[in-house]
Amino acid sequence: MISKPHVDWFAISPELVLLGVAALALFVAVLVPRWLRKALAAFLCAGGFLGAFVAAGILYGRSAHGHPVVADAIVRDRFGALGMLIVAGCGLLAVFISYREPVRNGHDAEYYALLAAAGAGMAFFVTANNLMTIFLSLEWFSICLYVLCAIDVDLVGSLEAGLKYLVVGSFGSAVLLFGSALVYGATGKLGLDRIGATVSAQGLSRDVLLLAGLAMIITGLGFKSSSAPFHMWTPDVYEGSPTPVTAFMSAATKTVALVVALRVLVSAFPQEAHLWTVAVAAIACASLAIGNLAALVQRNVKRILAYSSVSHAGFMLIAVAAHNQSGARALLYYLVPYSAMSLGAFAVVAARERELGRAVTLDNLAGMGWERPLLGVAMFTFMLGFAGFPLTGGFFGKFLVFSAAVDRGWTWLVIVGVAATAVSLYYYLGVVRALYMRTGAELQLAPAGGAPPREALLQTAVLGCLAVTVASFFAVQPLVDLAKHAGRALPL
Amino acid sequence: MTTALILLPLGGGLVVWLLPWTRFWAGSFALLVSLAEVGLWIETLIRFDFARPGLQLDARAGWFGDLGISYHVGLYGFSLWLIGMSVTVMAASIAYAFWTGRERARAYFGLQLFLTGAVVGVFAAQDLLLFYAFFEAMLIPLYVLVGVWGGAGRLGATLKFVIYTMAGSLLMLAAVIVLGVHQGSFDLVDTGTSGNTWIFLGFVAAFAVKAPLFPFHGWLPDAYREAPPEVSAVLSGVVSKAAVYGLLRIAIAKFPGPTHDVRVPILVFAAIGLVYGSLVAFRAPDVRGVIAYSSLAQMGLIVLGLFAGNSLGFDGAILQSVNHGLLSATLFLLAGGIERRAATGELSRLGGMARGRPVLATLLMTTGIIALAVPGSTAFAGEFLILAGVFQQGWIWAVIGAGAIVLAAMYMLRLISAVLHREVGPAVSDSALDLRPAELGFLVPLVACLLALSAWPAAISERSFAHGATFRVGWTSYAPIRNVP
């Protein structure tokens, strides 16, 4: 008989809550009358994310000393708990944004079930402690996302996005798996800290298999965090997917991919730090360059935001490349306002999309700031935040990232980041220009007709994102304390 | 007290944004807040002890302890004067906008008040990061004010303005981070000086764009022409002084070594800007062009004073900053009035406006005469101090400066005669009225301030740096600002 490991149920409580909710939502999809399905499933899903958020919060409070649990498959520490907190927060807001999204084929309950399941996979991913669980949880949430992207199968764009994401994402996963296999072949270990210990014990740090495996793991995670040159799928998938799904992906997927990248690199490969820090810095520079330059010429707002997310992956990878405590702190802090801004910006796009019934471009954004003051001001703030203006958390995010690079002694990375920020202003302010400085009349747009529908839930979500974006500037110290304590869980 | 100066307009702005005012009430509330701000500044002036060196009326609160960032504000003599000039000009600008009746009043007046708060914050900040935050926060309302309420070419003008400014600001951000991380604290009072020329240049770049200094003035003509006149007044009168303050409080006070090493190139650029600005102002085809380029020239002059490296230069630079703030604001508001009457600012289509419009003629003449630094005016006092200060760096600078004063007379007299005298221009109709009483309401206080300062320039020049005895110290050169720690 196989001996069962001791399971610390509390450590996986956020996942359990979300999985339970996903199961319930599936029951809703078949057992509940059609008119009630959507409301009930959304309510359950929101409750699930809220529960996961609370559970992750408690977990954060009670995991001051990180330790592996469940036969070392996952690790219970504040680093993972903070990742779960961000994911759960994103999920909750994503439910609010999704509620009014028209899904033509009536698969509303399944949508929320998948969203909760993706959240559970992500929560598992950020705590994964060996290469096997990393791969499993990666596939777990990725498959949910592939389906979510294509949920609106009647929309050609959505189906195309789902397929593209499936093909490219599977390729990324395969590379990650292959890399894991090579690392396992070199060291004979799967656990992250065991790999590091074995490498230092046996002097494997120049082993070709190990290094090839490391490179492939970085590549695989690069696909998920949509950092250049592994970003090719990002604009198409972001453009084609239903906007709420894009919002969730851009915030949550990037969060977990970067968090896990940091954990894997510092736990399993501390001996190779002189190599991977340079590689990650190079990827960061490529992301900054490609993301910002490509965004300059876009007209579709979702594509602009997609390239902007590539460039932000670059900023956050600077923090990873710094390979020090201030880098970990910077990354974990940055993720909070970034997620809020990203979700919020896509939510505003979703609102405009529903109002106009077509894709949102810089042209048909014209005058929106005056027509819908809350959404306009929020979008203005998000753009300023992306550009790193003070009064938004984006400023301290960049600030901490740059100071981490200075701590590391890489002032040149600061210069690259600053140059990238200067370029990014053009397109971020381009959105503001469209919102406020051009009127629909000036561009002779056909009037959309009628008052836009009231969307209390979406506006609540946008207001929440706005609050987080601004509050993370003023309340930077408490948030950094959270990030700092979480970062201490890593062997840096 | 200082915090109240910052928070009053910010809070006022928030109230304007959030409550459903009509256009009239939004404007009058904003005007009331800006006047209350002036009152609060007068109260601060009374409480301020000019004999005492060092920071006064300061307040401190923890913000981001890990990196040594705190909310730390306080006033020096010179910041007090710059704040006074700023709140006065902002109030006049808001009054002008109220009188003109701007569209989308809530957004407009909220932004103006927000800008006021940010400007005061810049002059009061004693923490590098706080300074940077306020410095950038100024840009946001300016961007929208020019971009939404500006003229036909506003989109291009704002784009240029923002890209220039942000390029400078981001260099400053890099400098702030490197300096702060190395020193372990971002506090301006607690930390010592630095000898790193690159960091120094990062700061100077930001301020040189904001001022603007030659050759970073590419954004200036477009922005000053396309902005609404009262926003141009704020841009050239108030916002450029943030650069003066930054140069003095951070670049010069924190980097004595690099200031010394890079002095000559900076003086050269300032002198070129002074002469070039004056020449272009003389050739400019429109009213705002003259004022815009004269601003460039004046900023060059002020920077000459700042980098003279002695107390005469500093005193003169501060006095001249206040003068120029008031002068260019008055001139831009007058230009706005002229443009409203003639529907154009082109000098070739203007002329003869003095006939039948005595009040306009009087105000424009008075302002113009002060601006060309006629002896006895406050601008003369400021320029004299600056030239006397920079003379110690070499007679050549003083010669250039003195030559530029002649040029200033040329472009100012040309402006006055092109608008007021000569035969009546095609754009000037007989029905164009003289200045209305409401316009006098915001123009006369500005001119009155200028006249008062002309009577007593020492109010500022002897009360900016707490040594109180500029001339008794004699002509020996001063160590970098004595009372700025």
Side-chain angles (χ1 to χ4, degrees):
Chain A
M1 182 173 164
I2 301 168
S3 65
K4 280 192 301 182
H6 170 71
V7 177
D8 180 356
W9 293 104
F10 181 53
I12 52 172
S13 53
E15 290 95 321
L16 293 178
V17 172
L18 285 168
L19 277 181
V21 163
L24 281 178
L26 285 179
F27 278 120
V28 168
V30 286
L31 297 179
V32 170
R34 189 173 290 273
W35 58 272
L36 190 57
R37 277 180 204 164
K38 183 175 176 181
L40 193 56
F43 179 75
L44 280 172
C45 189
F49 276 116
L50 194 62
F53 190 82
V54 172
I58 299 172
L59 196 58
Y60 182 93
R62 297 195 184 165
S63 308
H65 306 287
H67 56 277
V69 290
V70 199
D72 295 359
I74 65 169
V75 60
R76 171 182 169 174
D77 61 2
R78 290 190 157 176
F79 186 73
L82 187 58
M84 288 195 218
L85 271 173
I86 299 176
V87 168
C90 292
L92 184 61
L93 292 168
V95 174
F96 284 11
I97 300 168
S98 306
Y99 190 68
R100 289 273 173 204
E101 181 75 6
V103 177
R104 285 162 200 75
N105 46 22
H107 292 229
D108 292 304
E110 288 89 338
Y111 174 90
Y112 292 107
L114 282 165
L115 199 62
M122 288 174 176
F124 201 57
F125 190 48
V126 291
T127 51
N129 194 37
N130 69 37
L131 294 174
M132 192 55 76
T133 41
I134 285 177
F135 178 72
L136 279 178
S137 46
L138 178 83
E139 282 301 277
W140 171 357
F141 78 77
S142 295
I143 289 172
C144 297
L145 289 176
Y146 301 148
V147 183
L148 279 174
C149 287
I151 190 114
D152 213 352
V153 281
D154 297 339
L155 268 184
V156 178
S158 176
L159 194 58
E160 184 191 329
L163 266 179
K164 266 186 188 155
Y165 195 25
L166 175 66
V167 173
V168 182
S170 306
F171 181 71
S173 306
V175 173
L176 180 76
L177 184 62
F178 196 15
S180 306
L182 290 180
V183 171
Y184 179 66
T187 60
K189 302 284 182 219
L190 281 174
L192 296 181
D193 37 359
R194 303 278 172 77
I195 294 172
T198 311
V199 169
S200 68
Q202 304 183 6
L204 287 172
S205 59
R206 288 180 176 276
D207 186 85
V208 177
L209 273 186
L210 183 80
L211 293 183
L214 169 62
M216 295 179 96
I217 288 176
I218 292 177
T219 307
L221 291 171
F223 273 104
K224 286 294 157 196
S225 63
S226 62
S227 46
F230 316 113
H231 68 286
M232 297 81 73
W233 58 275
T234 313
D236 292 346
V237 173
Y238 278 23
E239 187 188 0
S241 309
T243 311
V245 178
T246 313
F248 181 66
M249 278 200 307
S250 72
T253 312
K254 197 173 297 278
T255 300
V256 296
L258 288 165
V259 163
V260 169
L262 183 62
R263 188 199 285 282
V264 170
L265 290 173
V266 302
S267 313
F269 302 101
Q271 277 81 27
E272 293 80 13
H274 60 288
L275 292 174
W276 63 254
T277 49
V278 176
V280 171
I283 295 175
C285 291
S287 304
L288 289 171
I290 293 175
N292 283 309
L293 293 178
L296 290 179
V297 294
Q298 304 299 326
R299 302 295 300 169
N300 184 310
V301 178
K302 276 166 94 177
R303 288 186 82 88
I304 293 181
L305 292 174
Y307 280 112
S308 133
S309 92
V310 173
S311 87
H312 280 275
F315 280 115
M316 291 187 261
L317 283 173
I318 291 181
V320 176
H323 191 227
N324 50 23
Q325 275 295 346
S326 47
R329 180 182 67 180
L331 173 67
L332 290 172
Y333 172 83
Y334 201 143
L335 284 168
V336 174
Y338 169 75
S339 302
M341 293 183 298
S342 194
L343 272 167
F346 278 113
V348 174
V349 172
R352 186 68 170 176
E353 218 170 52
R354 287 171 213 172
E355 190 179 317
L356 298 177
R358 54 182 145 149
V360 179
T361 63
L362 284 180
D363 289 326
N364 60 30
L365 210 55
M368 186 194 179
W370 301 114
E371 292 159 20
R372 320 225 10 208
L374 170 69
L375 298 185
V377 167
M379 191 69 164
F380 190 0
T381 315
F382 299 142
M383 291 303 125
L384 292 181
F386 279 138
F389 268 84
L391 306 183
T392 66
F395 170 71
F396 273 120
K398 285 194 176 151
F399 183 84
L400 287 167
V401 162
F402 292 158
S403 51
V406 172
D407 271 354
R408 158 99 190 163
W410 279 357
T411 311
W412 62 272
L413 260 180
V414 178
I415 305 291
V416 173
V418 163
T421 308
V423 174
S424 74
L425 277 170
Y426 181 83
Y427 58 89
Y428 289 135
L429 291 179
V431 174
V432 176
R433 200 157 61 234
L435 281 174
Y436 284 101
M437 297 175 192
R438 321 177 70 172
T439 55
E442 189 182 315
L443 295 168
Q444 300 186 323
L445 291 179
R454 285 177 59 83
E455 293 193 58
L457 279 178
L458 185 135
Q459 294 192 340
T460 312
V462 171
L463 203 61
C465 295
L466 185 64
V468 173
T469 308
V470 175
S472 54
F473 176 76
F474 290 102
V476 56
Q477 183 66 54
L479 209 54
V480 163
D481 283 340
L482 282 184
K484 195 166 59 181
H485 293 142
R488 293 228 177 96
L490 293 179
L492 277 168
Chain B
M1 194 77 203
T2 315
T3 306
L5 267 176
I6 300 172
L7 287 187
L8 173 69
L10 290 183
L14 216 56
V15 171
V16 173
W17 275 329
L18 293 182
L19 296 186
W21 308 86
T22 61
R23 179 190 295 184
F24 176 79
W25 287 109
S28 41
F29 179 77
L31 185 59
L32 201 69
V33 172
S34 65
L35 289 176
E37 175 80 354
V38 177
L40 197 59
W41 175 76
I42 293 174
E43 173 68 22
T44 316
L45 184 68
I46 294 167
R47 291 197 193 180
F48 195 87
D49 179 7
F50 286 103
R52 193 153 65 86
L55 198 64
Q56 294 187 41
L57 302 171
D58 53 334
R60 195 171 215 168
W63 182 16
F64 189 2
D66 278 16
L67 288 178
I69 297 168
S70 59
Y71 170 83
H72 187 192
V73 294
L75 299 175
Y76 293 103
F78 58 94
S79 29
L80 186 65
W81 292 116
L82 290 174
I83 290 176
M85 181 274 292
S86 305
V87 295
T88 314
V89 169
M90 290 303 306
S93 161
I94 289 175
Y96 180 93
F98 180 45
W99 177 71
T100 337
R102 292 274 165 225
E103 293 285 315
R104 309 188 194 282
R106 275 165 63 203
Y108 180 89
F109 289 110
L111 286 168
Q112 282 272 25
L113 289 177
F114 183 84
L115 177 60
T116 313
V119 167
V120 175
V122 165
F123 291 135
Q126 299 303 328
D127 181 281
L128 263 178
L129 205 95
L130 190 66
F131 175 83
Y132 182 81
F134 280 124
F135 197 77
E136 290 300 282
M138 282 194 316
L139 183 61
I140 301 169
L142 281 174
Y143 172 67
V144 183
L145 285 171
V146 180
V148 175
W149 288 273
R154 61 186 192 277
L155 292 184
T158 44
L159 191 65
K160 234 184 203 178
F161 172 56
V162 168
I163 286 184
Y164 264 92
T165 321
M166 281 307 287
S169 296
L170 288 168
L171 287 175
M172 172 160 83
L173 178 61
V176 166
I177 292 175
V178 177
L179 182 67
V181 170
H182 280 290
Q183 296 197 329
S185 165
F186 287 83
D187 202 281
L188 279 169
V189 180
D190 294 346
T191 54
T193 56
S194 163
N196 189 318
T197 307
W198 288 108
I199 303 181
F200 171 76
L201 287 178
F203 283 109
V204 169
F207 302 138
V209 172
K210 201 77 166 188
L213 269 191
F214 182 87
F216 303 105
H217 64 283
W219 59 270
L220 170 134
D222 284 356
Y224 284 14
R225 278 194 184 110
E226 295 299 338
E230 74 278 14
V231 177
S232 299
V234 173
L235 261 177
S236 80
V238 175
V239 174
S240 62
K241 303 309 173 293
V244 174
Y245 177 81
L247 280 174
L248 182 61
R249 182 68 189 89
I250 297 173
I252 295 175
K254 286 279 155 193
F255 299 89
T259 302
H260 183 262
D261 298 340
V262 192
R263 169 168 293 145
V264 172
I266 291 179
L267 286 178
V268 168
F269 281 125
I272 295 177
L274 176 54
V275 175
Y276 170 81
S278 305
L279 288 175
V280 180
F282 184 61
R283 293 291 301 152
D286 56 342
V287 182
R288 287 214 225 172
V290 175
I291 312 172
Y293 280 104
S294 82
S295 278
L296 176 63
Q298 289 293 316
M299 292 314 295
L301 187 69
I302 292 170
V303 171
L304 275 185
L306 284 178
F307 281 83
N310 49 47
S311 66
L312 284 174
F314 290 140
D315 290 341
I318 293 303
L319 176 57
Q320 191 61 10
S321 295
V322 175
N323 292 339
H324 174 246
L326 294 169
L327 278 169
S328 76
T330 316
L331 287 171
F332 269 117
L333 294 183
L334 278 169
I338 292 167
E339 285 173 8
R340 278 176 72 82
R341 285 168 174 74
T344 178
E346 284 174 43
L347 295 177
S348 59
R349 294 167 53 76
L350 292 170
M353 288 190 90
R355 197 165 307 130
R357 300 179 191 84
V359 185
L360 173 69
T362 313
L363 281 183
L364 185 57
M365 275 299 262
T366 318
T367 320
I369 296 281
I370 297 176
L372 62 81
V374 77
S377 71
T378 177
F380 178 75
E383 291 182 14
F384 182 79
L385 283 172
I386 290 175
L387 296 183
V390 82
F391 183 77
Q392 294 176 32
Q393 294 295 335
W395 58 268
I396 180 73
W397 308 115
V399 168
I400 296 173
I405 293 181
V406 179
L407 291 175
M410 283 165 60
Y411 63 72
M412 256 324 145
L413 291 175
R414 169 171 173 265
L415 176 70
I416 290 171
S417 84
V419 173
L420 296 179
H421 308 137
R422 300 190 314 198
E423 65 276 24
V424 176
V428 181
S429 77
D430 289 337
S431 58
L433 294 170
D434 198 357
L435 290 181
R436 312 308 301 153
E439 289 173 286
L440 294 181
F442 51 81
L443 285 170
V444 168
L446 291 177
V447 177
C449 288
L450 282 168
L451 290 174
L453 279 178
S454 300
W456 191 29
I460 291 179
S461 65
E462 289 190 359
R463 279 169 187 73
S464 291
F465 294 101
H467 43 71
T470 311
F471 286 97
R472 262 175 280 145
V473 172
W475 297 83
T476 51
S477 94
Y478 238 65
I481 318 173
R482 178 182 269 183
N483 70 321
V484 176

